[in-house]
Amino acid sequence: MKQKQMTDLLVDIHLADGYLMQLNTDSANKVAPSLYGTVFKKHGTDSLRFVNSLKYYSEKPDILDTIYKQVSSRIDKMQSEEQKREEEKRRKEAAIIARKDSIERVRKADSLKKAIGIDTAGRTRRPLLRPFIRDMRLK
């Protein structure tokens, strides 16, 4: 297997490993064969060729070191991009919540103004609560 193909395959193998580590043991054992099979199929290889290639590169530590530096770099880049996407998503969600909160504050303020007798133009009008407040004082 060529170095570039090995690098690409190892990136996907390590991503699959990371996914499987998040599952409980029983689920991981059920999902792993199919997941790795999908990875091998994507790269047009099988587990035997992968193992033989890994053995070959293990005997050439300088090349394997170069491959793993590339694998690590690509996974770090993917992680960084995912963090940026998550941060953008959180920022958008916070903006939506802030917008909803500001709309709710305006509604509450309008309701309060109506209750104390101020219309939306700022003019005083007959308060809706005045009769209730007067009745409460009498009791």
Side-chain angles (χ1 to χ4, degrees):
M1 189 178 292
K2 292 186 179 183
Q3 193 172 332
K4 167 90 169 90
Q5 187 181 9
M6 189 66 174
T7 302
D8 295 343
L9 178 57
L10 282 170
V11 167
D12 286 344
I13 290 288
H14 286 293
L15 292 174
D17 287 345
Y19 171 73
L20 292 171
M21 294 292 287
Q22 295 178 6
L23 302 177
N24 66 45
T25 305
D26 290 337
S27 296
N29 289 337
K30 290 177 185 174
V31 173
S34 145
L35 182 60
Y36 288 123
T38 302
V39 170
F40 291 135
K41 185 176 180 180
K42 173 184 174 185
H43 293 279
T45 191
D46 57 30
S47 59
L48 180 61
R49 186 167 175 220
F50 169 68
V51 169
N52 288 337
S53 294
L54 192 56
K55 184 187 249 185
Y56 169 81
Y57 286 114
S58 296
E59 294 169 359
K60 302 185 181 332
D62 292 341
I63 296 173
L64 187 60
D65 185 53
T66 301
I67 290 172
Y68 263 99
K69 284 180 181 176
Q70 293 171 350
V71 168
S72 179
S73 173
R74 286 176 53 189
I75 290 175
D76 288 346
K77 183 179 177 185
M78 289 173 165
Q79 185 176 16
S80 175
E81 289 169 353
E82 180 62 24
Q83 287 173 342
K84 287 178 186 175
R85 281 191 294 273
E86 286 295 319
E87 181 59 34
E88 180 66 22
K89 181 180 173 184
R90 279 192 294 273
R91 203 165 9 106
K92 286 179 180 178
E93 288 171 352
I96 290 169
I97 290 170
R99 192 175 312 126
K100 286 180 181 178
D101 287 348
S102 66
I103 291 169
E104 187 60 30
R105 281 193 299 272
V106 168
R107 283 185 188 146
K108 285 180 183 179
D110 284 348
S111 296
L112 183 60
K113 286 178 181 178
K114 286 178 185 175
I116 61 173
I118 300 173
D119 66 14
T120 55
R123 296 181 300 250
T124 305
R125 61 182 177 85
R126 186 171 173 246
L128 297 174
L129 290 180
R130 188 174 288 156
F132 297 110
I133 293 171
R134 187 181 61 234
D135 291 344
M136 290 176 69
R137 286 187 201 150
L138 296 175
K139 291 183 182 181

